[in-house]
Amino acid sequence: MPELPEVETTRRGVDKHVVGRRIVALALYESRLRWRVAETISQQIAGQQVRRTGRRAKYLLIELDGGTLLLHLGMSGSLRVLPAETPRVLHDHFDLLLDSGVTLRFNDPRRFGSLHYTTQNPNEHPLLARLAPEPFDAAFNAEYLWGVTRRRRVAIKQLLMNSTLVVGVGNIYASEALFRARVKPRRQARTLTRKEVAKLTRAVRDVLNLAIRVGGTTLRDYVDADGNPGYFRQKLYVYERAGKPCRVCAKPIRQITQGQRSTYYCPSCQK
Ligand SMILES: [Zn+2]
């Protein structure tokens, strides 16, 4: 599943191809995505120039002269930059055709992705308005994490993955951040010390930044968003390394299940 770093990598990959270009049309082949794509979008956006791209949580924002496109990759979506005449393949659901002769083509086998257009402030769109802070927001800081952990008995790893408290910290990144902060994933959130909370706040940002940097240098124009962290995998300390020696202390990495998701940690490095 595309996580925050893959969406940001996608944004960086498409940015130089779309900014300053005019939209010729939206060619919609399948409107039944997670929510039905409005057939009127094409008329609304044709002729508009792309001002900039942005991202909020896992939504890619394409800002036009008169409004903003909100695109979500869902569980299996990917966006590619292609010459417009490239033949379509199975699960290609729409083309955003640009005046450069290039298209942004959306492919999504499971159809959990989505496309919306708004002429209002996108941050006030119902899909975005109530999202929790994300790791790169100034609002996500040690003070905030300290506050939300104080009365919660839930395991710290599950708190990190609770999107009503912080958005964009997926399963891989939660395990990796906890390793870097040297905190065991099953610890009750409220037992973390101030120092651990501060370390964890930094670790969450660092691990996402690293994933974005690595993804951004390896994926380039063909932006594959199947959730495979690609080269980032070589930099993982614990994720999917059960039984393998810890890169710090050489003891075997352990795997447990929390909330139906696999968690990986080092029983010796993490307290
Ligand atoms: Zn270790």
Side-chain angles (χ1 to χ4, degrees):
M1 189 188 328
E3 300 285 354
L4 188 151
E6 288 78 36
V7 179
E8 179 59 23
T9 297
T10 298
R11 188 195 69 74
R12 293 180 186 189
V14 303
D15 185 78
K16 62 181 175 293
H17 297 282
V18 301
V19 172
R21 291 293 169 189
R22 273 185 201 284
I23 292 175
V24 175
L26 170 74
L28 188 60
Y29 314 118
E30 174 58 85
S31 61
R32 293 167 303 164
L33 301 183
R34 177 160 188 191
W35 293 286
R36 184 173 281 275
V37 179
E39 309 271 352
T40 51
I41 293 180
S42 188
Q43 296 162 305
Q44 290 179 288
I45 66 172
Q48 290 201 50
Q49 193 169 26
V50 179
R51 283 189 186 162
R52 56 181 289 274
T53 63
R55 182 184 56 73
R56 175 70 175 103
K58 294 205 273 179
Y59 286 91
L60 177 65
L61 310 182
I62 300 177
E63 194 184 311
L64 312 177
D65 297 324
T68 307
L69 287 164
L70 276 58
L71 173 72
H72 198 289
L73 299 175
M75 311 275 287
S76 57
S78 64
L79 202 56
R80 284 169 303 154
V81 177
L82 299 168
E85 63 275 14
T86 309
R88 275 155 51 199
V89 297
L90 191 64
H91 308 304
D92 280 344
H93 302 318
F94 63 77
D95 270 312
L96 195 63
L97 296 149
L98 303 169
D99 63 356
S100 55
V102 149
T103 183
L104 282 194
R105 186 167 291 172
F106 182 69
N107 184 285
D108 185 5
R110 298 183 63 184
R111 290 198 275 114
F112 276 104
S114 67
L115 181 70
H116 290 82
Y117 178 68
T118 176
T119 54
Q120 310 295 311
N121 176 352
N123 291 314
E124 285 160 21
H125 190 277
L127 290 170
L128 306 189
R130 273 184 278 277
L131 289 176
E134 62 174 275
F136 299 115
D137 286 348
F140 180 79
N141 53 37
E143 216 33 60
Y144 174 76
L145 197 57
W146 176 254
V148 300
T149 51
R150 281 317 83 195
R151 272 192 292 241
R152 288 186 164 84
R153 290 166 193 267
V154 67
I156 184 63
K157 192 223 178 193
Q158 277 158 299
L159 182 141
L160 283 179
M161 293 183 64
N162 178 343
S163 62
T164 68
L165 300 175
V166 53
V167 294
V169 186
N171 199 36
I172 299 173
Y173 306 106
S175 282
E176 290 295 312
L178 285 163
F179 177 84
R180 284 159 183 259
R182 302 292 189 261
V183 172
K184 275 201 170 79
R186 272 196 290 224
R187 286 262 302 275
Q188 284 189 12
R190 62 176 187 169
T191 68
L192 267 71
T193 65
R194 262 194 194 274
K195 213 171 154 189
E196 286 172 327
V197 164
K199 241 173 136 179
L200 185 56
T201 311
R202 274 197 306 276
V204 166
R205 280 205 195 112
D206 287 350
V207 78
L208 290 168
N209 261 323
L210 178 65
I212 291 166
R213 265 207 320 277
V214 174
T217 57
T218 56
L219 297 181
R220 279 197 290 270
D221 292 355
Y222 179 85
V223 181
D224 185 292
D226 64 2
N228 186 334
Y231 282 73
F232 182 63
R233 195 166 281 277
Q234 296 165 7
K235 315 229 181 227
L236 298 177
Y237 282 99
V238 291
Y239 187 77
E240 289 190 341
R241 297 196 68 246
K244 296 201 173 120
C246 171
R247 297 195 202 276
V248 173
C249 73
K251 295 225 168 66
I253 298 298
R254 252 182 226 167
Q255 178 182 3
I256 55 170
T257 301
Q258 292 180 288
Q260 282 118 47
R261 306 297 298 274
S262 285
T263 299
Y264 302 84
Y265 72 102
C266 173
S268 164
C269 290
Q270 290 170 253
K271 306 293 172 206

